[in-house]
């Protein structure tokens, strides 16, 4: 929180803060930070990926899926979004779809 207060315009600090809030179980606080991050950095998929992780922790697969698809609209080579979307589909029981997403995520990761 101190870093967020000291660097209110830093997208990186906001993302780290939201990850900590998510790990602590403060999903509403994390989602608020992530919305602000997404509003400030329209070309960065990570606020959407992290929001999806918060929604996944809440068991909200539809919201998680929506946010990961938004991340992929921003950056179609975001391997993390593909891998996390694979987890969403696995939890939804869509094993083949999940495997395709895992493969795509692995393929994108090779180009980093």
């Amino acid at each position: 929180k101190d870093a967020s207060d000291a660097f209110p315009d830093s997208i990186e600090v906001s993302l780290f803060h939201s990850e900590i809030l998510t790990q602590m179980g403060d999903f509403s606080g994390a989602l608020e930070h992530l919305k602000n991050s997404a509003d400030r950095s329209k070309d960065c998929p990570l606020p959407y990926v992290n929001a999806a992780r918060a929604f996944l922790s809440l068991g909200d697969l539809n919201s998680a899926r929506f946010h990961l698809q938004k991340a992929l609209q921003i950056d179609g080579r975001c391997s993390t979004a593909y891998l996390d979307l694979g987890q969403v589909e696995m939890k939804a029981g869509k094993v083949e779809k999940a495997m395709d997403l895992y493969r795509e995520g692995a393929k994108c990761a090779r180009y980093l």
Side-chain angles (χ1 to χ4, degrees):
K1 182 167 176 5
D2 291 344
S4 288
D5 292 341
F7 302 98
D9 295 328
S10 171
I11 184 89
E12 292 85 2
V13 170
S14 184
L15 288 170
F16 288 136
H17 191 178
S18 69
E19 286 182 37
I20 291 167
L21 291 172
T22 297
Q23 291 175 8
M24 292 174 48
D26 181 1
F27 302 114
S28 63
L31 291 168
E32 181 180 328
H33 273 278
L34 293 164
K35 182 183 180 333
N36 292 336
S37 296
D39 290 344
R40 288 195 322 253
S41 182
K42 303 279 187 202
D43 61 347
C44 180
L46 295 179
Y48 296 99
V49 170
N50 289 356
R53 289 175 176 171
F55 283 116
L56 189 57
S57 294
L58 291 168
D60 186 346
L61 300 183
N62 289 330
S63 292
R65 188 179 290 115
F66 171 83
H67 283 81
L68 291 165
Q69 289 168 341
K70 180 69 175 169
L72 289 169
Q73 288 173 358
I74 293 168
D75 181 358
R77 300 193 67 75
C78 181
S79 61
T80 304
Y82 282 109
L83 297 172
D84 285 4
L85 192 52
Q87 286 188 321
V88 169
E89 299 304 344
M90 188 66 79
K91 286 187 181 282
K94 299 176 182 176
V95 176
E96 283 302 316
K97 189 170 186 176
M99 295 305 294
D100 289 342
L101 290 161
Y102 291 146
R103 282 189 278 277
E104 188 64 29
K107 186 168 71 172
C108 292
R110 289 187 201 130
Y111 297 104
L112 294 178

